[in-house]
Amino acid sequence: MALVTLRRNFCHLPDFRVCGALVALKSRPVNRMNKVVKGHQHPWFCSVQPKPVRVLIHPACGKKFHAENGTDHAPLGEQRFSQAHDWDGLDQSLRMEGEQVFYKRLDSLTSWEEVLSFVSTLETLPETWAAGALQRICEVGKGDDDQRLPKEIQEDSVFQALCFRLEQQPLRLSSTGLVTALQALILLHVDPQSSLVLNLVAECQNRLQAGVLEASDLCILGETLIRLQGPGCATLELIIHQLQGKKLETLTPEDIVAIYRILQTCSEKVDQHQTFLNVVNNFSLSVVSYLSPKSISQMLAALVVLDQTQAHPLIIKLGKYVVRHIPHFTNEELRKVLEAFIYFGVRDRFFTKALERRVASHCLTLDPEVISKVTEYCSGKLILSKRILNAVAETFVCQSEKFSPSQISELIEPFGKLNYLPPNAPAFFRKLENVLFTGFNHFPPKTLLRVLHACSLIEYHPVNFMPKIFSPFFLQQLQGEESYLDRLSLAQLTQLFLTSVLECPFYKGPKLLAKYRVKSFLTPYCSLETPVDFALYKYVVMALIDLLGGRMYFASKVLTPYCYTIASPADVEIKLDEEGFVLPFTANEDVNKRIALCIDGPKRFCSNSSHLLGKEAIKQRHLRLLGYQVVQVPYHEMEMLKSRLELVEYLQGKLFPQNPSVHW
């Protein structure tokens, strides 16, 4: 009988409890049905619930935890018997092995029921383990729609015991366990004013003031306090100050990303933190290869908010690893990556190929916001990706109701800008017309104008909407509270008016009033014509002088009757009489034919292609309708010529294909 009593007493000694926990972990299977056997609860669990513990729900702040217990207990985790001895002979490696086995088993659990059932079987539960269990409950127990604590967890007696244990003994927690426990509770939306949270926050602040927190603990605490108190919390500056004194080499890659997230919340003070940011940016080059897709997207998003355009090497390296993770990004992560690439002007053909594969295979499952960002990226970089645009067009036909007016604009504009018609163009534009008819009043005026203008660029003329957009009522809406209409809107209106005159002669509706028409499309910052490639222009001009015999036989900067400039000044006008002789550019009589020589540099084409942009295609269409013979001289053809003589012969063949010799 004495032997039995002795064994029972041994099981309550602190060192013996570690050994008992290890035995339980190795030998006892996890109860995955969440049924705790009442008669088999272990000492740590029994000691904290002589009476029921209640969890009160706060109606406004989510969940409030308040332990009500009418009896006094010995401090949790302390020895319960005065006859406890210090087992100096216990092997320290056994303790470490027990902790490793505990966390390994904890990480294998996939639901909060499994975690609580597993915890209830342990002989003992150190405070650090309790914090780890709470963190795991946070990871596996949050719902799909939010992160609030499920009601079933609140009512679980084991979970209540965990909370009570942490509330009563925050001093016994390690710094990592302390900040981890606080982080888990905040992520589970525990009431910030509960005694549990207040006790943990107070202890965190005490240790922060004492300067005993490690860098990784500072990162966790910083993000937790931002969630709890907002980005303006006074403690945040102290955390950032202490982080500056830490060695970044001691941090994990995820900690580095956490530093970016913390600095991102106080972006208005980026100038004060720029020196620290430069250090972090340089060090981050060494950890990029270890980052997860989620961390890469978060780092890129923070770099955008912090306007770190000077961190070019880091951005380039992140871009290389983005390509590898394209298939694994969530919708939100992919959106952040695209926003960063647009912001920093990143263009990578491998990224484009990977993006094509992702969009083409999963376009119907992508969020409308992601799809609009994909098209915005292609439009901004002039990337004519037929696979992406075809998939986007198909998605819009199938799911048009999911897109907002601004997203529809971002989706449609690239088709006009890149001068591309998808294979399902009839269905695509029929769906767009239906959307515009039913939601016309929901589109902001400028957004609607951009959509209709984009359609006209690719010869899908919005004739049914022209009476509305040329009406004084719409023009007043377009102007809004400003004293005048912006130049770009006026240019787009004018080009739509020209379309109605030149390409839609059957249109008999209202016309655009003359005061809203621009005299030239070639204006700074809002031009509907591509700026000049001066080097190419000078090269062609010298060859034309050799070919025609003088500068007097051609002209540039000629304004046509309908606003187009021949040239930009990269185009040339040549006049011919009835017999095909070249006339001086000053001649206004006997002009039988006008040739518009379009000297098309790289900026008039989609990136790395010979596909003309939409604004250049509509210009050449309108010039033909105005009576010009349009002769296109693209840069990629001239690059193949090896000498000026070859260029002269090339121009002769272009300008006078039926004449063996030139007359002037």
Side-chain angles (χ1 to χ4, degrees), residues 626-639:
L626 287 170
Y628 282 89
Q629 177 187 334
V630 177
V631 176
Q632 189 179 3
V633 182
Y635 79 99
H636 51 268
E637 291 184 3
M638 287 188 285
E639 286 179 343

Side-chain angles (χ1 to χ4, degrees), residues 68 222 447:
E68 294 184 359
T447 300

Side-chain angles (χ1 to χ4, degrees), residues 344-518:
F344 292 116
V346 178
R347 180 172 61 190
D348 184 281
R349 60 188 179 93
F350 297 107
F351 172 76
T352 302
K353 292 295 183 184
L355 190 63
E356 285 179 342
R357 291 191 292 269
R358 171 70 183 269
V359 173
S361 58
H362 298 90
C363 199
L364 292 176
T365 63
L366 293 177
D367 291 339
E369 190 173 2
V370 176
I371 293 175
S372 63
K373 287 298 175 186
V374 170
T375 54
E376 183 183 352
Y377 171 75
C378 292
S379 177
K381 299 301 171 188
L382 302 181
I383 299 172
L384 179 59
S385 172
K386 295 182 180 180
R387 290 186 65 187
I388 289 177
L389 294 178
N390 290 346
V392 167
E394 191 64 38
T395 302
F396 181 72
V397 170
C398 298
Q399 304 176 353
S400 60
E401 69 282 353
K402 294 184 178 181
F403 293 86
S404 67
S406 62
Q407 291 168 348
I408 291 175
S409 174
E410 292 172 350
L411 184 149
I412 298 297
E413 286 183 69
F415 286 89
K417 186 174 183 178
L418 301 174
N419 187 28
Y420 180 70
L421 285 175
N424 65 339
F428 179 62
F429 287 99
R430 185 164 54 249
K431 176 64 71 173
L432 175 62
E433 186 175 19
N434 292 336
V435 170
L436 292 179
F437 267 125
T438 56
F440 187 88
N441 294 327
H442 295 90
F443 279 78
K446 290 187 178 180
T447 300
L448 180 63
L449 179 60
R450 290 197 302 269
V451 171
L452 298 179
H453 180 259
C455 293
S456 71
L457 294 179
I458 44 180
E459 299 185 82
Y460 268 81
H461 307 302
V463 178
N464 293 329
F465 297 95
M466 286 181 180
K468 294 184 178 181
I469 64 175
F470 292 157
S471 68
F473 176 72
F474 179 81
L475 295 173
Q476 185 61 43
Q477 285 186 315
L478 191 63
Q479 182 173 330
E481 298 180 357
E482 300 295 329
S483 58
Y484 56 89
L485 268 175
D486 65 280
R487 184 76 180 181
L488 180 59
S489 296
L490 289 174
Q492 290 172 336
L493 283 168
T494 304
Q495 199 161 53
L496 281 169
F497 165 69
L498 294 184
T499 297
S500 70
V501 173
L502 298 174
E503 300 189 69
C504 306
F506 53 86
Y507 173 72
K508 304 301 180 183
K511 305 293 185 182
L512 182 67
L513 296 176
K515 66 178 182 178
Y516 293 107
R517 304 175 198 169
V518 297

